[in-house]
Amino acid sequence: MKLPATYKNAFLFLLTVIALFSLQSYTSQSQPQKKKRRIELDHADSLMYNEKIVADAQRLIGHVRLHHQGIVMMCDSAYSYNSKNMVDAFGNVHIIQGDTLNLYGQYINYNGDTKMAKVRRDVKLVNKTITLTTDSLDFNMNTNIGYYNHGGKIVDTANVLTSWVGRYYADRDLFFFKDSVKVTNKDFVMNADTLEYQSEKERVIIVGPTTIEGTKEKGKLFSRSGWYDTQTNISELYKDSRLERNDQILEGDTLYYNKTTGDGRAFHKVKLTDLKNHTVITGKHAIYNEISDKAMVTDSALFMQYSKKDTLFMHADTLRSVPDTSLTKKDDKKIFLAYFGVRFYRADLQGKCDSLAYRMKDSTIEMYHDPVLWSQNNQMTADVVKMTTHEKSPDIVNMENNAFIISEEDSAKFNQISGKDMIGYIRNNNLYKVEVNGNGRSIYFAKDKDKYIGLNRVESSNINIYLTDGHINNITFITRPDAKMLPLDDVNTSETMLQGFNWRPEERPKNRYDIFPKKEQAKVKKTPEKKALEPKEKAQKQNKIESAPKSLLRTRD
């Protein structure tokens, strides 16, 4: 049958539309669609729908239970939205995910597409051994990351942590805290601006200025970077680190501390301050035990003591600090020990030796193994030299065995005193009296006004010598002397020196930097000096030293 042209055109149009629709349908079906799983209802005592109250939502009332991709939610009531994969849950809301994570609140908005739960009022999150409480928490059930911005509290088996802002990474057992952070433990309280907490290990990661103070015993730790294990009370601190206990302060770029054993170890830019004894020891490696109150510093080690007179600077390969066992704990005085290449400088006094002990009890410096002491134009040597300094009365120098004093008149003339033992008295930086006990000998150049008139040679078992401005002006003989005056023209060079004469000016430290070996001096000068006493603010070369002086009497290797 032949169709009219009009019907024929209409039929062709219809075929075209059907073909296009079929193609579109085929194309659409051939493209994979991401299926979104909706939140499903397990139970509710009743269901209501009132568009005037909440549009496009079912109201679920009584013993509501829903589930979504491994998450179970229970509440008193809820709104389930028809066009959105979302639920608003009210009253005693409880979300369970897996075997360990439980989330509670009075209101939760849960988005099934993003798996984001926004929990408000009386919020509590329990996971394994930790409990987080806050008033407002957003928790991504997909990534298991939660965060609060208006104050929160974390409690685990050992610690209570509070902060204004917090992030919780549940899969990593990691918390991030910021703003007014506080950690409370039975042994300490920690305050910080920012830190991280590994809940499974109970380890604090320090990422900002942090202070840790003991609750039972006085003590404080400070650092800007590092970690503190709250289970073992062991810490490693890496930036601006400081340990304070009683009147002791240990500082270093890197600081290791074990609170249980009391062991502390510091590396790089080390500084050990004793506020009570007015001393500071610096170096690059320090070991300290707060229980035994012993310390050791090595590598560019420097000892400083501040007094009304001046500051004493002393360098040695190794410096130690030990309690003085002859005193009670109440006295809390120490003995400072120095080994190997000891050199010290004070404006009025300089010295060198191989080993040294400094007793705080009586301010006595004991020098062993080739000791030399310089004061003004005087050089003092003996097998052992002991010097006691006093604030008011004279400083006293005891020279034991082979004692020798040399006083320079000029580059060619030296007054000399030798004997078995000597006692020297120093006042106002000047040696003004010397007592010679045994085998006393003296050579000095006699003057008449400003002119040298001869050389006096004196021998006597015991001699008392008095000096003015370093020059001999009077001699008292305790036993009968053998003395003679030689005119200068009749004096041979050999007669101007006593046996054992050894003038050593090149060894004398000229300033505080000169106590270091030459290769270290430039390095030390570049380091800015800090005030050592701010209020409240190499392997080991020999066995432990329980007391100083006797153990120092040894033969150098």
Side-chain angles (χ1 to χ4, degrees):
M1 180 178 67
K2 189 175 181 181
L3 294 172
T6 303
Y7 291 100
K8 184 177 181 180
N9 291 337
F11 180 71
L12 290 173
F13 176 75
L14 180 60
L15 288 175
T16 302
V17 171
I18 293 171
L20 288 172
F21 179 81
S22 299
L23 178 62
Q24 184 179 7
S25 176
Y26 172 79
T27 304
S28 176
Q29 291 176 8
S30 64
Q31 298 297 321
Q33 296 294 310
K34 187 176 181 180
K35 188 176 181 180
K36 295 181 179 180
R37 296 183 182 179
R38 293 191 62 83
I39 303 169
E40 297 183 13
L41 174 64
D42 294 335
H43 175 84
D45 290 349
S46 62
L47 284 74
M48 298 179 62
Y49 178 79
N50 189 333
E51 190 170 337
K52 292 182 179 179
I53 298 177
V54 178
D56 191 38
Q58 286 185 340
R59 188 180 181 194
L60 314 175
I61 303 174
H63 299 94
V64 179
R65 180 185 175 96
L66 306 104
H67 74 269
H68 179 250
Q69 294 184 324
I71 298 169
V72 176
M73 179 188 296
M74 294 171 285
C75 60
D76 292 343
S77 63
Y79 282 107
S80 177
Y81 298 91
N82 298 322
S83 61
K84 295 181 291 185
N85 192 18
M86 185 182 293
V87 169
D88 282 327
F90 303 91
N92 299 308
V93 186
H94 181 192
I95 290 180
I96 303 172
Q97 179 174 263
D99 298 329
T100 60
L101 196 147
N102 291 268
L103 185 57
Y104 305 86
Q106 292 303 312
Y107 165 75
I108 292 181
N109 171 265
Y110 179 72
N111 188 318
D113 293 339
T114 62
K115 298 185 73 174
M116 176 64 75
K118 297 183 178 181
V119 195
R120 302 295 182 264
R121 298 191 301 276
D122 302 329
V123 180
K124 181 169 71 171
L125 185 151
V126 180
N127 188 25
K128 300 176 184 176
T129 61
I130 70 99
T131 300
L132 184 159
T133 55
T134 181
D135 196 58
S136 178
L137 177 72
D138 291 354
F139 194 89
N140 190 321
M141 310 298 291
N142 191 42
T143 61
N144 282 339
I145 299 174
Y147 51 91
Y148 60 84
N149 296 311
H150 301 287
K153 178 180 178 181
I154 310 296
V155 179
D156 65 9
T157 57
N159 305 290
V160 177
L161 303 93
T162 58
S163 68
W164 190 246
V165 176
R167 300 288 183 269
Y168 176 44
Y169 303 86
D171 291 344
R172 297 164 55 191
D173 294 305
L174 178 67
F175 285 91
F176 174 83
F177 301 100
K178 187 169 180 62
D179 196 352
S180 304
V181 185
K182 185 176 182 178
V183 183
T184 304
N185 180 284
K186 63 182 179 63
D187 296 320
F188 67 85
V189 174
M190 180 184 300
N191 290 281
D193 175 74
T194 307
L195 60 80
E196 296 177 2
Y197 181 65
Q198 298 172 343
S199 57
E200 187 173 358
K201 296 180 180 179
E202 295 183 3
R203 175 175 288 191
V204 174
I205 310 299
I206 299 170
V207 292
T210 302
T211 301
I212 308 169
E213 296 190 60
T215 55
K216 298 176 182 178
E217 299 177 354
K218 290 184 178 181
K220 184 186 294 186
L221 271 175
F222 175 84
S223 185
R224 297 179 182 273
S225 177
W227 57 264
Y228 190 103
D229 192 314
T230 65
Q231 290 182 334
T232 62
N233 280 326
I234 293 175
S235 60
E236 285 190 14
L237 311 174
Y238 307 125
K239 185 178 180 182
D240 296 338
S241 305
R242 183 170 70 249
L243 167 62
E244 299 179 15
R245 183 176 171 86
N246 300 325
D247 293 306
Q248 306 283 329
I249 303 173
L250 176 62
E251 301 172 75
D253 283 354
T254 301
L255 183 63
Y256 166 90
Y257 175 61
N258 186 323
K259 190 176 187 300
T260 304
T261 63
D263 290 319
R265 181 169 292 183
F267 304 89
H268 313 295
K269 296 182 181 178
V270 173
K271 183 178 178 182
L272 179 61
T273 303
D274 187 325
L275 296 171
K276 179 170 287 188
N277 291 300
H278 306 289
T279 60
V280 177
I281 303 177
T282 63
K284 295 181 180 178
H285 181 206
I287 297 173
Y288 169 65
N289 185 280
E290 63 184 8
I291 298 174
S292 65
D293 204 15
K294 295 179 181 179
M296 181 187 77
V297 179
T298 61
D299 198 348
S300 302
L302 172 65
F303 169 92
M304 293 171 278
Q305 188 195 23
Y306 291 78
S307 66
K308 293 180 180 179
K309 284 187 174 182
D310 202 350
T311 301
L312 173 68
F313 298 91
M314 180 169 62
H315 167 71
D317 180 83
T318 301
L319 294 173
R320 284 180 176 274
S321 167
V322 299
D324 192 336
T325 56
S326 66
L327 303 173
T328 64
K329 190 66 177 179
K330 184 178 179 181
D331 294 312
D332 199 24
K333 292 292 185 178
K334 290 187 171 59
I335 298 174
F336 291 91
L337 311 173
Y339 308 98
F340 313 109
V342 181
R343 290 166 63 84
F344 60 87
Y345 175 86
R346 199 172 70 188
D348 62 332
L349 190 72
Q350 303 83 44
K352 66 168 291 187
C353 59
D354 183 66
S355 303
L356 178 147
Y358 182 31
R359 295 178 179 274
M360 300 300 300
K361 174 182 67 175
D362 52 10
S363 298
T364 297
I365 297 175
E366 301 182 3
M367 305 168 64
Y368 302 91
H369 309 292
D370 193 25
V372 189
L373 193 65
W374 292 274
S375 177
Q376 296 294 83
N377 61 334
N378 301 296
Q379 173 185 294
M380 291 165 272
T381 59
D383 289 353
V384 176
V385 174
K386 299 179 182 179
M387 178 174 180
T388 304
T389 60
H390 303 92
E391 290 293 338
K392 295 181 180 179
S393 56
D395 297 338
I396 300 174
V397 181
N398 284 279
M399 292 159 275
E400 300 176 1
N401 203 22
N402 296 316
F404 209 119
I405 297 177
I406 303 174
S407 178
E408 184 180 31
E409 287 284 319
D410 58 37
S411 59
K413 296 181 181 66
F414 299 92
N415 294 330
Q416 303 154 55
I417 307 169
S418 71
K420 183 178 183 297
D421 301 317
M422 289 190 207
I423 302 175
Y425 298 87
I426 299 174
R427 184 168 53 200
N428 299 325
N429 300 339
N430 285 307
L431 181 68
Y432 73 92
K433 180 183 177 182
V434 177
E435 296 177 358
V436 184
N437 300 308
N439 303 325
R441 292 179 176 86
S442 174
I443 288 179
Y444 66 96
F445 289 86
K447 275 186 174 183
D448 182 11
K449 297 182 179 179
D450 294 331
K451 184 179 179 180
Y452 291 103
I453 59 174
L455 178 68
N456 265 323
R457 292 182 63 95
V458 180
E459 292 186 13
S460 178
S461 178
N462 299 306
I463 309 172
N464 287 345
I465 301 173
Y466 299 87
L467 304 94
T468 302
D469 297 328
H471 303 288
I472 297 174
N473 62 19
N474 188 21
I475 298 180
T476 301
F477 304 101
I478 309 303
T479 58
R480 185 177 179 87
D482 179 7
K484 59 181 176 179
M485 168 77 80
L486 300 176
L488 287 182
D489 293 338
D490 297 337
V491 175
N492 296 321
T493 303
S494 60
E495 294 179 303
T496 63
M497 298 180 186
L498 292 175
Q499 184 177 358
F501 176 89
N502 185 10
W503 180 240
R504 302 158 68 175
E506 69 283 352
E507 301 176 36
R508 184 177 188 174
K510 300 173 181 62
N511 52 55
R512 57 165 293 191
Y513 303 105
D514 202 32
I515 62 177
F516 289 92
K518 297 296 181 183
K519 61 182 180 181
E520 292 186 38
Q521 289 181 20
K523 196 185 304 181
V524 173
K525 288 180 181 179
K526 288 180 180 178
T527 305
E529 182 180 358
K530 297 180 181 179
K531 188 177 179 181
L533 298 177
E534 298 177 355
K536 296 301 180 184
E537 313 205 15
K538 70 193 187 183
Q540 202 167 330
K541 293 195 175 181
Q542 70 177 62
N543 295 329
K544 276 190 174 182
I545 295 172
E546 302 301 331
S547 61
K550 292 181 181 179
S551 62
L552 287 171
L553 295 172
R554 57 172 176 74
T555 301
R556 183 168 183 173
D557 297 336

